[in-house]
Amino acid sequence: MSSTVLPQLNAQRAVPAAIRHEMLFLNAFRLVQALVYIGLAFAPMQVGGVLPSSPQLALLVTLPYLLFAVAALALTGRCVPYAKVTVSIWLVVDIAAAVLALSAIDYARIGIAMMLAVNLGVGALILSLRLSSFFAALATLGLLAHALLAEPGGAHGDRNLLESALFGLAYFAITTLCHVLGRQLRASEALAEQRSTDLANLSQVNELIIRRMKTGVLLVDDANRIHQINESAWMLLGNPSAEQRDLGRLAPELSRRLYHWMTSGKLDETATQLADGVPEVVPRFSRLAPNDDSLVLIFLDDTSLLSRRAEELTLSSLGRLSASIAHEIRNPLAAIRYSAQLLAESEKMDAADQRMVEIINNHCVRLNEIIENILQLSRRERSRPETLDLGRWAQGFVDEYKLGNDLGNDTLRVVVGGATAVAAMADPQQLQQVMWNLVQNALRYGRLPGEPARVIVIVRNGEHGEPILEVTDRGPGIAPKVAAQIFEPFYTTHEYGTGLGLYLARQMAEANQASLEYVRVAGGGSCFRLVLTPPQMNRLAGEAAAG
């Protein structure tokens, strides 16, 4: 359910609750009113010994009215869904009982008429203005009829008529005022309920945002006790237990910096590690209120995230700059290579000059590879995945690679594991670039001194059915310290390397929802494993993204 519908539902629920309270008050007042009627009818000594004008009528009116008041009060909850009809019936009974009580207890007509105004006013809170005015008119006609019939042509007839008319005017004024106030009160209650729901929803959203923030956030009081902590801060503190709330014991260095900041106002911005096996952080502090140290917010900035963002910005800027430079280098490079090829065709060149031309060509090829890598870094083309038979695709790739490159004594072959075909979703062009980089590196570095390179492209299904491409060699392998950095941009151990080949290979693999990792081979050698996406998983991911 959306957050916009929820406040409306809560506002609608607030209306029946308000109506129920108003009906309950009306029924409670009616019970008191009936008891007053009985007291006036059967306790004349309390009003100076004045007897009712018609004791029998008083008995016939007050006792049934008392029973009706008790029944209405008991059935209040069941009558709420039919509030308008029920209140209308109640008001008819109240007006009839009041007019009959006036006839039976004439000496208390002013008090009875005033009490009836309360019934009409409370009813106007629930009913429409037209219905409220109708019952005010009905009560006024009842009073006027009683004044005309009680003393027709008597000495007090004109005075009673005037009193009845004034009471009628008061009834109209009270019902109109109560109806308007009721509408405003109900609208205010609904608005307050909606605002309360919006505030609760906003509080939940803020709590969710803070909990999911990459920056660690802690709320610490002046006793050095942690009140709130989000998921990132919990991880940066080494995943402590829920009972550990003392900042001094949990992170002594952070507690020391907090004390130093509170006493001197100076912030130590050097990175620190708060627990073993977690990234370094730079803590920042902020008071919840100015000049109030009772509660302090602590922000823990993960330096690895900051470094990654800076690296991404650097790579993006460097990619754009390098692309523009690469475009400018390409034309003179093509002219140099073309000139070198023309010189190589000359029959008058001796062996030394031929060697110089060969060096020029080799360096032109190397420089062109560097330009291509830089251009790929800047392009970041979107993948267009297709369903591939990896075994057939890998064999075609190896055959094409052999045609375009002279392997000499080196060997490159394909091994397909399993009897069933291995299918995967990937962009063929980007997958070819990834495999070209991996095979090129394997042939160049995956050899023992004085021996030819032996590179195998393995196609198989993983333990969970995922398609896997592996490029293995029987070379010296990669040292663990170096293996941890080989996928970083511009990191290379070769004097002529750019450090972009494996970085671009992993970027293109991730663009195809695949993962590329280095696996050390037991007994020597290296293995670069590319775990691709099965066709069915790719389709489900696409449907989930579209939904």
Side-chain angles (χ1 to χ4, degrees):
M1 183 178 295
S2 65
S3 59
T4 56
V5 176
L6 188 60
Q8 297 176 2
L9 292 178
N10 290 331
Q12 292 173 1
R13 292 171 186 168
V15 174
I19 292 177
R20 183 179 182 277
H21 294 155
E22 292 161 359
M23 293 176 66
L24 186 62
F25 175 80
L26 176 59
N27 290 330
F29 176 77
R30 183 182 295 108
L31 181 60
V32 175
Q33 189 177 19
L35 293 174
V36 171
Y37 286 176
I38 291 178
L40 292 174
F42 298 101
M45 71 290 299
Q46 296 181 6
V47 288
V50 182
L51 295 175
S53 55
S54 178
Q56 293 181 349
L57 180 60
L59 179 63
L60 292 176
V61 172
T62 55
L63 289 179
Y65 189 60
L66 177 62
L67 295 177
F68 171 76
V70 173
L73 182 61
L75 298 175
T76 301
R78 298 183 180 181
C79 297
V80 172
Y82 319 100
K84 291 187 177 181
V85 176
T86 305
V87 172
S88 299
I89 296 173
W90 289 349
L91 289 181
V92 170
V93 176
D94 291 338
I95 293 172
V99 173
L100 293 175
L102 288 175
S103 302
I105 315 171
D106 184 73
Y107 66 88
R109 63 182 181 277
I110 296 178
I112 294 173
M114 291 179 63
M115 294 179 71
L116 182 59
V118 178
N119 299 73
L120 295 173
V122 177
L125 295 174
I126 303 172
L127 302 177
S128 62
L129 183 59
R130 182 177 298 179
L131 271 176
S132 302
S133 301
F134 168 76
F135 288 115
L138 186 62
T140 303
L141 292 176
L143 294 181
L144 291 175
H146 170 263
L148 288 173
L149 297 176
E151 295 185 36
H156 302 288
D158 294 339
R159 188 184 66 182
N160 291 342
L161 283 175
L162 180 60
E163 289 179 354
S164 300
L166 292 176
F167 272 116
L169 183 62
Y171 290 162
F172 279 100
I174 290 173
T175 53
T176 303
L177 180 62
C178 288
H179 175 76
V180 173
L181 291 178
R183 287 182 58 186
Q184 293 181 351
L185 179 62
R186 198 158 289 121
S188 299
E189 289 179 352
L191 183 61
E193 184 71 22
Q194 181 177 350
R195 292 288 184 269
S196 176
T197 305
D198 291 341
L199 185 61
N201 291 339
L202 183 60
S203 177
Q204 292 179 358
V205 171
N206 290 337
E207 183 180 355
L208 180 61
I209 292 173
I210 293 174
R211 189 166 67 246
R212 297 296 184 184
M213 282 175 59
K214 296 298 183 183
T215 301
V217 180
L218 298 92
L219 181 63
V220 182
D221 61 12
D222 51 359
N224 222 24
R225 182 172 177 80
I226 300 174
H227 286 265
Q228 297 290 338
I229 181 171
N230 69 346
E231 294 177 0
S232 297
W234 180 72
M235 294 178 62
L236 293 172
L237 290 175
N239 305 338
S241 63
E243 293 78 15
Q244 292 181 340
R245 291 289 178 175
D246 188 353
L247 184 64
R249 294 182 179 179
L250 194 60
E253 175 62 20
L254 185 60
S255 177
R256 185 194 67 78
R257 293 196 184 193
L258 174 61
Y259 177 77
H260 178 72
W261 174 78
M262 294 178 63
T263 53
S264 65
K266 297 180 180 180
L267 180 63
D268 186 354
E269 296 184 357
T270 58
T272 182
Q273 190 177 29
L274 302 179
D276 295 334
V278 299
E280 292 186 339
V281 297
V282 177
R284 294 181 290 113
F285 309 101
S286 175
R287 295 180 176 87
L288 284 184
N291 302 322
D292 184 8
D293 294 334
S294 59
L295 290 173
V296 176
L297 276 174
I298 302 178
F299 300 94
L300 303 178
D301 294 325
D302 188 349
T303 55
S304 63
L305 294 178
L306 297 177
S307 300
R308 195 176 302 125
R309 291 172 189 164
E311 179 183 301
E312 290 175 355
L313 291 174
T314 302
L315 288 175
S316 178
S317 302
L318 181 60
R320 290 192 295 268
L321 176 62
S322 302
S324 61
I325 296 175
H327 280 294
E328 297 297 328
I329 295 176
R330 262 189 156 179
N331 291 333
L333 178 63
I336 293 172
R337 188 175 184 186
Y338 181 68
S339 300
Q341 289 175 349
L342 291 178
L343 284 174
E345 296 175 359
S346 175
E347 298 178 354
K348 298 179 180 181
M349 293 182 62
D350 55 16
D353 291 338
Q354 289 285 353
R355 178 57 183 162
M356 296 298 294
V357 171
E358 183 181 351
I359 292 174
I360 294 174
N361 280 326
N362 290 337
H363 281 276
C364 285
V365 171
R366 176 175 166 270
L367 189 56
N368 188 63
E369 290 179 2
I370 295 174
I371 292 174
E372 287 296 331
N373 286 335
I374 292 174
L375 291 176
Q376 288 181 20
L377 181 66
S378 63
R379 288 189 193 116
R380 298 292 180 93
E381 296 179 355
R382 189 174 182 180
S383 63
R384 297 175 178 84
E386 301 175 7
T387 303
L388 302 176
D389 183 343
L390 280 188
R392 184 180 301 173
W393 182 90
Q395 188 62 57
F397 166 77
V398 169
D399 293 341
E400 183 180 350
Y401 188 90
K402 289 180 178 179
L403 290 175
N405 299 271
D406 184 12
L407 297 182
N409 295 327
D410 299 336
T411 59
L412 173 64
R413 61 192 179 94
V414 177
V415 175
V416 179
T420 59
V422 181
M425 287 292 293
D427 186 326
Q429 295 182 355
Q430 292 186 353
L431 183 60
Q432 184 171 9
Q433 293 179 32
V434 173
M435 292 298 294
W436 193 92
N437 278 327
L438 297 180
V439 170
Q440 187 77 1
N441 284 344
L443 290 171
R444 182 178 297 171
Y445 307 114
R447 66 176 71 234
L448 294 173
E451 295 184 9
R454 292 176 292 169
V455 179
I456 304 175
V457 177
I458 302 174
V459 180
R460 64 182 179 89
N461 282 316
E463 296 180 359
H464 304 286
E466 67 276 13
I468 294 177
L469 268 175
E470 292 178 334
V471 178
T472 63
D473 61 65
R474 302 304 298 174
I478 303 176
K481 186 176 181 181
V482 176
Q485 306 177 66
I486 56 176
F487 291 105
E488 294 181 4
F490 306 110
Y491 179 82
T492 181
T493 58
H494 196 273
E495 58 179 339
Y496 297 123
T498 62
L500 290 174
L502 290 177
Y503 172 76
L504 290 171
R506 172 171 278 186
Q507 291 293 312
M508 283 185 282
E510 291 177 352
N512 286 268
Q513 299 180 6
S515 62
L516 177 61
E517 60 179 346
Y518 168 75
V519 181
R520 188 171 180 85
V521 179
S526 299
C527 172
F528 284 89
R529 181 175 297 162
L530 184 64
V531 182
L532 298 165
T533 304
Q536 184 180 5
M537 293 296 295
N538 189 278
R539 178 177 59 83
L540 293 176
E543 291 177 356

